[in-house]
Amino acid sequence: MTKWLPFELHCHTFHSDGKQSLAELALAARALGLRGVALTDHNTMTGLANREQIVAETGVEVIPGLEWTTFFGHMLTLGIKEYVDWRNLSPFHIHRGIEGVHRQGGLVGVAHPFRVGSPMCTGCYWEFEVSDWNEVDYIEVWSGLFPSIQRNNARAFAMWTELLNRGHRIAATSGRDWHVSDPVTEPISATFLGIRDGVDESNGEHKAEDLSEGSSYGKSEGAGAESRVHAHSLVSGALDALRRGNVAVSMGPLPQLSVLGSDGKWAGIGDTIELSQVKGMQLKVTASIDFTAREGHWEQPDQVLQLKLVSNLGELAAVELTQGQPKADLMLDVNGVHWLRAELYGAFCNARTMIGFTNAIYFN
C-alpha cells in the first residue's frame, strides 16, 4: 500500500537568504498540512544543525539538502549527508557535481529552469549543458505561489513533457521557493510523495531491515536516538518515492492514476508496464481524485472537475469527476503509448487552470 504525503521540497532559512528559522519553517509547514519539507539553503547546510530536535518537536520531517546557486543555474540536491562543492561547476561540467551527490545516495533536481535570470535573479535561468538527462532525478516544473498561471512554469512543464517524449524517465515536482513564514493569500502547491509500506507515516518508523548501516541518520546513541531513526526512515521513504517517480503535485485535491496490465497487475504512478506487440492493446485505466488530501487547507467551489489523460501521443481521454463521483474506470488503447499521466483542471481561485498533475506511468 502507498501513502501519499505532502511535502514542500524547496525552502530557505536565514542561513542563506530566507527570513525564517528552521523551527519557524517547520511550524508554518505543519499549519499548511504538510508532512515534511526539504531544507535547500543556498550553498550551505548549516541550517540543519538542530534538525533532529525540530523534527521531534514539530512532527514535520526535514529532508537535508542544499541549493547550488551558481551563475549558470540553480540545482537542488536532496538527501546528502556531506556538503558537495559546487564551485568547480562550469556551464559544461554540471555532471561533475551530480556524480558527487549520487555517490552519497542523494538526488538532484533542476530548480525553476525558466525563471528570469541575471541581473534580476543571479543564475536563476538554467544554462548548464546537460549531456545526459538520465542523470537528473527531477525537474521543478512548478515554482512559486499559484504556480499553474505563471508563464515560466508553463515552459518548464513543456520541457518536462519533451524529455518524456524523448524517452527520459524523469520526475516532476513543485517548489514554493519558500523564504518567509508569513501568511499568503495565493494558493500553494504541494509535492505528494508515495511512501510505500514499511514506513509508518504517523511516526516515521521503518522496518528494521530497511535501515542502512552506513547512514548518519539511522545511527545514534543516547537521548534522541529514537527520533533520529524515525527521521532516517521517512527521509529514505520520501527520497525513494522521488527516485521512482511516485509523485503527484496539486494545489488542491490530489489526482491519481493506475493502469491494469495485461498480466493482471496494477501499475501506479512511476511504475512501468510491459506490453506485448499486439496492436490495438486496450487496458483498464482508473482515474480518480482524492478530495481528502490536505483537506481544510485549500478552498474550491463545488464543481465538475476534468481529469485529462495525456501521453506522448497527446490527450487520449478526459473524464469528469466530482466529490460525489471521484473515480472513473475506462478502457484505453495504449498502442504506441510510451508514457501516460493525468492532469486535473477546474476553477481555482477565480481562474480556470490546471490544479494538479501526476507523474507518468511508463510502457515498455
Side-chain angles (χ1 to χ4, degrees):
M1 183 178 177
T2 298
K3 296 179 180 178
W4 289 91
L5 306 183
F7 283 76
E8 171 52 59
L9 298 179
H10 189 162
C11 304
H12 299 279
T13 68
F14 51 62
H15 285 259
S16 59
D17 61 343
K19 297 181 179 180
Q20 58 192 346
S21 67
L22 183 57
E24 291 169 333
L25 169 64
L27 289 172
R30 187 174 69 181
L32 292 172
L34 299 172
R35 183 61 182 84
V37 297
L39 183 58
T40 54
D41 275 323
H42 296 285
N43 299 332
T44 181
M45 298 179 70
T46 58
L48 293 163
N50 59 342
R51 166 184 170 272
E52 294 163 358
Q53 176 185 349
I54 291 169
V55 171
E57 291 176 351
T58 65
V60 173
E61 190 50 83
V62 178
I63 300 173
L66 63 84
E67 182 178 7
W68 287 337
T69 308
T70 80
F71 289 108
F72 315 111
H74 295 188
M75 175 163 272
L76 301 167
T77 66
L78 303 183
I80 55 177
K81 305 171 185 63
E82 298 176 359
Y83 184 86
V84 179
D85 202 346
W86 52 273
R87 291 172 295 179
N88 61 347
L89 302 180
S90 77
F92 312 105
H93 296 99
I94 187 65
H95 287 279
R96 184 184 299 161
I98 292 174
E99 289 168 3
V101 174
H102 284 168
R103 278 197 298 269
Q104 295 190 36
L107 303 180
V108 295
V110 176
H112 45 65
F114 294 104
R115 184 178 295 177
V116 63
S118 302
M120 294 183 64
C121 181
T122 302
C124 285
Y125 188 89
W126 184 262
E127 297 182 82
F128 280 109
E129 180 179 293
V130 178
S131 59
D132 185 1
W133 279 99
N134 292 318
E135 295 299 313
V136 177
D137 299 295
Y138 68 97
I139 300 173
E140 187 181 80
V141 300
W142 274 11
S143 177
L145 299 172
F146 208 165
S148 66
I149 65 171
Q150 297 187 33
R151 291 184 178 180
N152 63 303
N153 289 334
R155 293 184 67 187
F157 198 87
M159 172 187 177
W160 172 50
T161 302
E162 176 58 24
L163 288 170
L164 293 178
N165 287 340
R166 285 159 48 185
H168 299 290
R169 299 189 175 188
I170 187 168
T173 68
S174 67
R176 178 173 171 177
D177 205 351
W178 198 357
H179 286 74
V180 182
S181 296
D182 295 344
V184 294
T185 56
E186 300 95 331
I188 69 165
S189 62
T191 299
F192 288 80
L193 302 177
I195 310 297
R196 288 181 170 174
D197 277 344
V199 176
D200 183 349
E201 180 271 327
S202 61
N203 60 16
E205 283 189 359
H206 206 284
K207 292 180 180 178
E209 63 269 25
D210 290 336
L211 290 174
S212 58
E213 294 182 359
S215 170
S216 60
Y217 304 122
K219 297 171 67 177
S220 54
E221 296 178 0
E226 183 180 9
S227 67
R228 279 190 281 273
V229 171
H230 291 172
H232 163 77
S233 306
L234 191 52
V235 167
S236 296
L239 294 174
D240 185 50
L242 186 53
R243 187 178 289 110
R244 296 190 321 267
N246 203 187
V247 180
V249 171
S250 183
M251 300 183 294
L254 181 64
Q256 289 284 269
L257 184 67
S258 57
V259 179
L260 182 62
S262 54
D263 59 358
K265 297 180 180 179
W266 284 97
I269 299 165
D271 292 340
T272 299
I273 293 179
E274 299 291 338
L275 293 178
S276 67
Q277 298 301 313
V278 179
K279 291 185 178 181
M281 170 71 73
Q282 286 205 335
L283 295 179
K284 181 179 179 180
V285 176
T286 296
S288 63
I289 303 174
D290 181 3
F291 286 91
T292 67
R294 290 187 61 245
E295 191 173 17
H297 296 285
W298 48 268
E299 296 182 1
Q300 187 178 32
D302 188 18
Q303 62 181 300
V304 175
L305 297 176
Q306 188 177 51
L307 199 61
K308 296 182 180 180
L309 304 185
V310 179
S311 77
N312 54 292
L313 302 179
E315 183 180 328
L316 299 182
V319 294
E320 293 186 341
L321 301 173
T322 64
Q323 284 189 284
Q325 188 175 351
K327 184 173 77 170
D329 295 323
L330 64 157
M331 298 300 296
L332 203 63
D333 186 344
V334 296
N335 187 47
V337 173
H338 300 304
W339 59 267
L340 179 72
R341 70 173 178 237
E343 299 175 3
L344 180 62
Y345 292 86
F348 204 86
C349 287
N350 299 315
R352 177 77 182 180
T353 185
M354 186 191 296
I355 299 169
F357 60 89
T358 72
N359 272 243
I361 297 175
Y362 301 97
F363 299 81
N364 280 341

